[in-house]
Amino acid sequence: MELRLVGPGPYRATRLWNEIIELFRAGMPLRKHRCRFKSYERCFKAWEAVECLHELLGSNQNFGPEVTRDQTVKLLKKFLKNHVIEDIKGRWGKEDFEDDSRLYRFPPSSPLKSYPKKPSCGKEVIKFPDWNEQRAGPSQEHIPVKSVAMNSEMWYKRHSIAIGEVPACKLVFRRELTQTNIEDIWKSMTLSRLQKVLGLDSLDEVLDTKLVNSKHIVQNVYHVNKQGIVTLEDKSKELPHWILSAMKCLVNWPSCSDLKQPTYSGFERDVFKTIVDYFSQMKEPLLTFNFFDIFVSVLGLLQNPSKAVEALQISCLLLPPENRKRLQLLVRMMARISLNQDLPRLSESVRTRTLLVQAFSRCILCSKDEIDLDELLAARLVSFLMDNYQEILSVPSALKSSIEDHVVHLQRVQIKYAGADSDAALPPPSFCHQITTGEFEYQRATGSQEPLAALLEEIVMNKEISVKDKKKKLKQFQKSYPEVYRVRFPSPETEAMLFPEKTKQKPPILMWALKKPFQPFHRTRSFRM
């Protein structure tokens, strides 16, 4: 069965769950086994299921090769609990699956999850200051000049050459933008950009936009230190000093400046356990429960790293500032520890990078409700964060410049001319949505054929050119654009109707030639001189 990439969109976790069940049922070898002097048909041993599912997950683009055998066992426990598999006696419902030789089988039909119906989130309408809404007081200056009707052509000439008369005009002042207006603009344009990067028609089913705080976006963009770390106004929300010291100790190992390094063996493991315990006791993950679906949707873009980085950049701007700061410090610590060759191994059986991902995944991303694949999804996201943390946890410069330019334009004084067909105002930023290949081909064909059809019709209806020239032009058009020509002239008969044959008339007989009777040739005598 083909391994499909599940892209961004609503209910991605549910779609992945159903995908893995179908792949596992199709790929798991079933054989005859004996247990306690009894034979069982079409079953498999537990360790066989672990190996098969582990290989399947590792080769699946949605999860990747970093899935561990322990994570695979945990997923099979959930399979047993949800009756995806059962033991040979038909028992299921408990997570007592172990990586051993016990026998299991598939029930007649494994239950696929149905897509939940979420309550529709009403779209939040953000009201921007109206362009024509002037400030109170003497904010307009009318210039008493002769009025001249204005069209697009004269508007162009107005800026290129003198046209003799100056039209009536006025200075239009945009109402002064408040901080709330600016924050709303940041929220609207940020979400619009996120929707475009994800390629979705709407964010409604992956994000409740009412839960996005515009103040958080602005603070995450502008309140940062030289290292790009968010600065908090409320110092009580900062990480404790002893946790920061522990994190620095492992990052800079063996040079610990904040602590007097003890000499006993295993000190670094105790420091690591202290950090893990602190982040594990948080009531909510750093990416918050509200934004779980949007971050899971971003995972569908990991095959396109540049898009995934941009989507995560924007999504992390939506976080509360204290969460964003903790995420920045934690992921930076994880990336540096995994690259610190001088740091002793923090586990005897697991590589340091794998240990870091397993220890902090649920601290970073998990669902408020129990999701069967949330551990695998969180591990996938955390691995990508560690590899690209410097870009992802920085402010997207292109988005920032775009929004700042838009705000500056809204605050600029504009000149409006009487009768002008345009205010010369920049339109609000708009983003296109993704279409299918078939729709693209149809639009490309129809979009190019319409002007060609108009050109052909113009040649046909032109009475100023001779019939000979018209036939020549039509022949050239038919050779260059046969499909468009065939639509206009589907048959030779329709083409012939354009040039009806004229009845040929015999030329009149010249009467003067018949006045003299025919005279035969007469030989004459020649005279010699």
Side-chain angles (χ1 to χ4, degrees):
M1 191 173 182
E2 183 182 359
L3 300 178
R4 298 187 299 268
L5 177 64
V6 179
Y11 318 121
R12 186 173 186 271
T14 302
R15 287 185 288 152
L16 283 172
W17 171 264
N18 293 340
E19 172 91 355
I20 290 300
I21 290 177
E22 292 176 352
L23 292 174
F24 181 53
R25 285 180 66 94
M28 181 66 215
L30 303 178
R31 295 191 297 271
K32 180 179 179 180
H33 289 86
R34 291 183 61 84
C35 180
R36 296 181 180 178
F37 307 105
K38 188 175 181 180
S39 298
Y40 296 92
E41 300 287 344
R42 298 181 59 79
C43 57
F44 50 86
K45 293 183 179 180
W47 65 266
E48 293 175 337
V50 174
E51 288 191 352
C52 177
L53 186 58
H54 185 225
E55 182 180 356
L56 186 150
L57 293 173
S59 60
N60 193 309
Q61 301 177 69
N62 299 293
F63 300 98
E66 293 192 351
V67 177
T68 63
R69 191 177 180 91
D70 182 60
Q71 290 173 328
T72 305
V73 172
K74 290 181 180 179
L75 180 56
L76 283 166
K77 288 177 181 288
K78 294 182 178 181
F79 278 3
L80 182 61
K81 181 179 180 180
N82 290 275
H83 203 197
V84 177
I85 59 176
E86 61 185 17
D87 66 11
I88 52 176
K89 294 184 179 180
R91 293 173 297 191
W92 60 276
K94 296 182 180 181
E95 294 189 7
D96 56 353
F97 183 93
E98 299 295 338
D99 189 358
D100 53 24
S101 297
R102 282 184 286 183
L103 298 180
Y104 293 89
R105 67 189 179 192
F106 291 117
S109 60
S110 293
L112 298 180
K113 290 191 174 182
S114 59
Y115 299 117
K117 294 183 178 180
K118 290 188 176 181
S120 58
C121 304
K123 290 188 177 180
E124 183 180 8
V125 179
I126 300 177
K127 185 178 184 302
F128 296 104
D130 185 20
W131 175 260
N132 295 316
E133 185 178 348
Q134 293 88 15
R135 296 183 304 188
S139 59
Q140 301 184 63
E141 299 180 9
H142 293 272
I143 304 175
V145 294
K146 185 177 179 180
S147 177
V148 175
M150 199 71 172
N151 55 29
S152 298
E153 182 179 359
M154 294 182 68
W155 175 262
Y156 175 76
K157 291 180 179 179
R158 170 68 180 83
H159 293 274
S160 58
I161 59 175
I163 59 175
E165 295 179 338
V166 179
C169 60
K170 61 181 179 179
L171 296 179
V172 178
F173 291 85
R174 184 62 182 258
R175 191 188 70 180
E176 184 177 356
L177 295 179
T178 64
Q179 182 62 25
T180 301
N181 296 145
I182 295 175
E183 291 170 353
D184 289 342
I185 292 171
W186 265 95
K187 176 179 177 179
S188 176
M189 294 185 67
T190 300
L191 294 179
S192 296
R193 182 59 189 171
L194 179 59
Q195 177 180 329
K196 179 184 177 183
V197 176
L198 291 176
L200 300 176
D201 294 331
S202 172
L203 292 176
D204 291 345
E205 293 182 330
V206 295
L207 176 66
D208 186 354
T209 57
K210 292 181 180 180
L211 299 177
V212 178
N213 191 326
S214 56
K215 294 182 181 295
H216 292 169
I217 300 176
V218 174
Q219 184 172 351
N220 289 334
V221 171
Y222 292 106
H223 295 74
V224 295
N225 59 18
K226 294 180 180 180
Q227 290 76 34
I229 306 297
V230 177
T231 58
L232 303 180
E233 297 177 355
D234 187 356
K235 300 303 179 183
S236 63
K237 297 180 179 180
E238 297 277 4
L239 281 175
H241 177 73
W242 55 274
I243 285 292
L244 290 173
S245 299
M247 296 169 72
K248 291 179 182 179
C249 177
L250 295 183
V251 168
N252 300 319
W253 188 276
S255 303
C256 297
S257 57
D258 292 352
L259 297 174
K260 293 182 178 180
Q261 182 176 337
T263 56
Y264 71 87
S265 177
F267 170 73
E268 67 282 352
R269 297 186 181 183
D270 290 342
V271 174
F272 178 72
K273 185 177 183 303
T274 300
I275 300 172
V276 172
D277 291 341
Y278 176 82
F279 281 97
S280 299
Q281 69 182 0
M282 295 188 305
K283 297 180 179 179
E284 189 175 22
L286 294 177
L287 299 183
T288 74
F289 293 136
N290 293 331
F291 298 148
F292 175 80
D293 288 336
I294 196 71
F295 281 102
V296 170
S297 291
V298 174
L299 289 175
L301 297 175
L302 293 189
Q303 298 305 312
N304 188 338
S306 60
K307 271 195 171 184
V309 167
E310 183 179 2
L312 286 172
Q313 272 185 329
I314 300 173
S315 300
C316 289
L317 286 180
L318 310 182
L319 298 174
E322 58 271 19
N323 288 47
R324 179 178 172 87
K325 181 169 185 176
R326 294 187 178 201
L327 181 68
Q328 289 175 318
L329 296 174
L330 177 59
V331 176
R332 186 175 66 172
M333 178 205 75
M334 295 168 63
R336 293 183 178 181
I337 286 178
S338 64
L339 298 176
N340 189 349
Q341 301 294 331
D342 296 326
L343 181 67
R345 291 176 64 100
L346 299 175
S347 172
E348 295 295 338
S349 57
V350 183
R351 293 187 305 116
T352 300
R353 178 185 172 90
T354 304
L355 178 65
L356 289 166
V357 172
Q358 291 179 351
F360 295 108
S361 289
R362 291 189 61 83
C363 307
I364 294 176
L365 178 70
C366 70
S367 173
K368 187 174 184 180
D369 303 321
E370 183 180 358
I371 302 295
D372 299 306
L373 293 176
D374 57 354
E375 293 182 8
L376 294 177
L377 297 175
R380 180 77 163 143
L381 178 64
V382 170
S383 296
F384 191 77
L385 279 173
M386 290 176 61
D387 294 334
N388 304 274
Y389 76 97
Q390 291 181 331
E391 294 179 85
I392 293 174
L393 298 178
S394 62
V395 177
S397 56
L399 177 66
K400 181 181 178 184
S401 300
S402 175
I403 298 177
E404 288 177 344
D405 291 344
H406 187 65
V407 171
V408 169
H409 172 76
L410 294 179
Q411 295 174 326
R412 186 179 298 128
V413 176
Q414 299 291 323
I415 300 177
K416 288 187 65 177
Y417 292 89
D421 57 0
S422 174
D423 286 339
L426 288 178
S430 59
F431 302 102
C432 58
H433 64 278
Q434 189 175 13
I435 61 175
T436 63
T437 305
E439 291 174 333
F440 168 74
E441 294 296 337
Y442 173 77
Q443 293 181 9
R444 184 178 67 172
T446 56
S448 60
Q449 288 181 359
E450 288 178 2
L452 291 174
L455 175 61
L456 177 59
E457 194 65 27
E458 183 179 350
I459 297 175
V460 171
M461 302 303 296
N462 193 341
K463 297 180 180 180
E464 297 181 359
I465 60 177
S466 63
V467 174
K468 182 179 179 181
D469 291 340
K470 183 177 293 188
K471 287 183 177 180
K472 184 178 179 181
K473 290 180 180 295
L474 289 175
K475 188 174 182 180
Q476 292 175 347
F477 191 96
Q478 182 183 17
K479 185 177 180 181
S480 301
Y481 310 105
E483 294 182 358
V484 181
Y485 190 87
R486 194 179 304 113
V487 173
R488 179 62 174 83
F489 301 108
S491 63
E493 290 77 9
T494 56
E495 185 178 5
M497 292 174 61
L498 183 62
F499 303 105
E501 294 184 0
K502 296 182 179 180
T503 56
K504 296 183 179 180
Q505 298 180 356
K506 295 182 179 180
I509 301 176
L510 301 177
M511 300 305 295
W512 62 269
L514 300 177
K515 287 182 179 180
K516 292 183 179 182
F518 176 75
Q519 297 178 355
F521 175 74
H522 296 280
R523 297 183 65 179
T524 59
R525 191 178 290 181
S526 60
F527 297 94
R528 295 182 180 178
M529 299 300 294

